Amino acid sequence: MSLYQRLSEVQGGAPGAAGGAGTPGQAPAAQQQPAPGQAKPPSGIQELRSRIHGQLIDELGTTLYDSEMPEDQLKQMVFNTLERAVEESRVPLSAADKQRLIHSIANDVLGYGPIDPLLHDESVSEIMVNGPDQVFVERSGKPGIAPVKFLDEDHLRRVIEKIVAQVGRRIDESSPLCDARLPDGSRVNAVIPPLAIGGPFLTIRKFSKDPLGIEDLIGFGTLTPAAARFLQACIIGKLNVIISGGTGSGKTTTLNVMSSFIPEGERVITIEDAKELQLRQDHVLCMESRPANVEGKGEVTIRDLVKNSLRMRPDRIVVGECRGGEALDMLQAMNTGHDGSLTTVHANTPRDALTRIETLTMMAGYDLPVRAIRDQMSSAIDLVIQIGRQRDGSRKISHITEVQGMEGDVIILQDIFLFDFAAGVGEDGKLKGTLQPTGVRPKFAEKLADHGIRLGAEVFTPNRGAR
């Protein structure tokens, strides 16, 4: 056991700690544990860490927040200061332990504490902090525990506040829930006491620094080349598209890829709770909702932004997710000349997606007849893309479904592509099926033809979708 580890276990050099027997009249170590709710005494290494951290803040001060200083120069200055402070502490540490301590403090100052290495690990797609002592990560669609911990609840709380402050939001006892984002667009959700029992909770869904493209989705098996050509034609042909799926199914990633098909020169307005979309076109305007301030005022909702976007001369409106009354305004936009709009909803099937949009529309506060809402939906929405996380951890598009119109009081749906679940599972536990065409040619093929887009019969021929 290294000295670094021994220092972590010895509580400030308490007598008898190493041998397990206390001094006469002293209670055993097991009986000296703090009462529930009482802070644990800091360990030797924590005392050293806190002292060096404080020395760094005292020496560098506002230099740490100098936005004009190059990042590499600031990083070098921090490491030089930490190395000098560790040497001056006179604590005998091995070279490896010394570097571990220096990097731990530097991550707190320059990054996000213990989870900073996980944020830079490209194999990690999601980080789930269940309190200071338990961190889970998701790799290849499967969760597992990570070998990192925070010092205590205050340490985790400082990291959360740092993330939240970067996007001009706040989190405190009066507002203990917060959605935020990292500079690279990764989605952040934080919950603190009194709502979080057992410590603050932090969930980070990472997004690739280099946004995924359609080739990546084909490589992952999310869809086939034929389906990709079909979806590209639908976006260029200005069809209104709904992307449906459950939590963590890949809706935002798919929306980002679909948005990449929007031709250059079109004016695109994106509306989100926290900015995640990474569109590469030149003419893109990004808007983000704003929560209420400490006085309960100043809130700007997604619905407010959708209404305002209609006055900004958009060619396309892309809403990160419809989860409230903005669904009605989105349908109105799709029906009044803003073709080619895209959004996502939480649902398990294309039929459920329409039912959910119908419910969300009712949340707008207007007493509209169900038939009127369904008429709006059937004329506004052209296509529903259903994506889901499968039992092998992969994310696959399971349905590409056309909205054909109304028959009585029922909206008629027609599947154009379906995932072949009947193919079973391979020896490696992965699904063997692919997204296959059903053989039905969509009714909106004429609309695509009006835009000069003609899809060959091979796109819709069964058993050729994967070629």
Side-chain angles (χ1 to χ4, degrees):
M1 180 184 293
S2 70
L3 179 59
Y4 182 93
Q5 292 170 316
R6 292 199 298 273
L7 281 170
S8 298
E9 294 179 359
V10 176
Q11 299 298 318
T23 56
Q26 183 179 17
Q31 298 178 13
Q32 296 181 26
Q33 295 299 321
Q38 180 181 346
K40 295 181 181 179
S43 65
I45 197 64
Q46 290 184 21
E47 288 180 350
L48 175 63
R49 189 181 188 283
S50 298
R51 187 168 70 250
I52 294 177
H53 188 283
Q55 184 176 337
L56 175 71
I57 299 298
D58 291 340
E59 288 192 26
L60 299 185
T62 57
T63 305
L64 293 171
Y65 310 102
D66 186 355
S67 59
E68 297 182 358
M69 179 178 290
E71 184 178 347
D72 292 340
Q73 182 179 343
L74 177 60
K75 186 175 181 179
Q76 188 61 46
M77 183 182 298
V78 168
F79 273 90
N80 290 341
T81 304
L82 287 173
E83 288 175 358
R84 186 176 68 252
V86 172
E87 291 295 337
E88 293 174 353
S89 70
R90 305 290 184 180
V91 175
L93 296 175
S94 68
D97 291 339
K98 188 182 300 182
Q99 288 301 311
R100 191 181 298 116
L101 176 63
I102 289 173
H103 279 84
S104 174
I105 300 174
N107 284 339
D108 270 353
V109 175
L110 300 173
Y112 304 101
I115 62 172
D116 200 72
L118 301 176
L119 291 170
H120 293 91
D121 186 346
E122 294 185 359
S123 67
V124 174
S125 58
E126 195 149 5
I127 301 170
M128 297 155 279
V129 182
N130 304 344
D133 298 326
Q134 193 178 64
V135 179
F136 282 83
V137 295
E138 181 187 77
R139 288 186 172 93
S140 302
K142 300 292 185 180
I145 197 163
V148 298
K149 293 182 179 181
F150 289 83
L151 296 178
D152 50 33
E153 291 186 10
D154 289 339
H155 187 200
L156 174 53
R157 179 75 173 265
R158 288 196 299 271
V159 172
I160 290 174
E161 289 174 349
K162 181 176 182 178
I163 293 173
V164 169
Q166 288 176 336
V167 291
R169 301 198 176 189
R170 66 184 180 88
I171 186 166
D172 51 39
E173 282 71 16
S174 64
S175 180
L177 299 172
C178 185
D179 286 321
R181 57 181 166 81
L182 296 178
D184 65 358
S186 297
R187 181 190 306 170
V188 177
N189 177 266
V191 188
I192 64 172
L195 300 188
I197 308 300
F201 303 147
L202 177 66
T203 308
I204 301 175
R205 182 168 299 160
K206 291 174 57 181
F207 289 91
S208 174
K209 294 180 180 178
D210 184 21
L212 297 178
I214 192 65
E215 297 83 5
D216 297 302
L217 296 191
I218 293 173
F220 296 152
T222 302
L223 75 171
T224 60
R229 292 198 303 273
F230 174 73
L231 292 177
Q232 182 177 17
C234 291
I235 301 301
I236 295 175
K238 304 197 77 170
L239 299 186
N240 295 319
V241 178
I242 304 294
I243 299 173
S244 167
T247 300
S249 60
K251 298 188 301 298
T252 302
T253 299
T254 304
L255 178 62
N256 204 61
V257 172
M258 295 300 104
S259 300
S260 68
F261 295 141
I262 297 175
E264 289 285 350
E266 293 193 13
R267 183 176 173 87
V268 183
I269 297 178
T270 69
I271 300 170
E272 303 171 82
D273 270 329
K275 185 180 181 302
E276 298 169 359
L277 297 175
Q278 300 168 294
L279 273 65
R280 296 182 176 180
Q281 290 86 344
D282 292 330
H283 203 168
V284 178
L285 292 81
C286 304
M287 295 194 292
E288 193 175 68
S289 65
R290 184 180 71 183
N293 60 20
V294 68
E295 299 174 351
K297 300 179 181 178
E299 181 182 15
V300 180
T301 65
I302 292 287
R303 188 175 185 190
D304 296 330
L305 295 178
V306 172
K307 289 179 179 178
N308 187 76
S309 70
L310 301 178
R311 305 183 182 95
M312 298 172 66
R313 197 259 175 215
D315 289 314
R316 311 256 186 164
I317 300 174
V318 181
V319 178
E321 181 182 345
C322 280
R323 56 164 68 96
E326 64 270 8
L328 175 60
D329 300 284
M330 193 70 186
L331 291 177
Q332 298 281 2
M334 291 176 173
N335 272 319
T336 54
H338 299 93
D339 293 333
S341 297
L342 300 97
T343 189
T344 70
V345 297
H346 275 82
N348 293 325
T349 67
R351 175 68 63 185
D352 289 346
L354 297 185
T355 302
R356 178 162 169 78
I357 293 174
E358 181 180 314
T359 303
L360 295 176
T361 302
M362 294 177 180
M363 294 170 61
Y366 300 106
D367 189 16
L368 298 174
V370 172
R371 175 60 191 245
I373 296 174
R374 292 180 181 175
D375 280 337
Q376 288 265 355
M377 292 167 56
S378 64
S379 60
I381 302 169
D382 296 301
L383 197 69
V384 179
I385 302 172
Q386 181 70 39
I387 185 168
R389 187 202 301 257
Q390 308 304 324
R391 60 181 181 271
D392 62 355
S394 63
R395 295 168 172 86
K396 298 189 183 295
I397 292 177
S398 59
H399 299 71
I400 300 179
T401 303
E402 178 189 14
V403 181
Q404 293 189 331
M406 293 284 292
E407 187 173 294
D409 290 334
V410 180
I411 298 176
I412 304 302
L413 301 180
Q414 177 61 58
D415 294 325
I416 308 300
F417 286 82
L418 284 175
F419 188 84
D420 182 17
F421 288 102
V425 180
E427 295 180 357
D428 57 356
K430 300 293 184 181
L431 294 175
K432 296 168 63 176
T434 58
L435 188 63
Q436 295 287 339
T438 60
V440 177
R441 194 175 184 88
K443 289 186 176 180
F444 55 66
E446 296 180 1
K447 184 177 180 180
L448 296 181
D450 293 339
H451 285 81
I453 302 169
R454 298 185 182 278
L455 295 170
E458 70 278 1
V459 174
F460 306 105
T461 302
N463 301 321
R464 295 185 183 178
R467 295 184 182 182

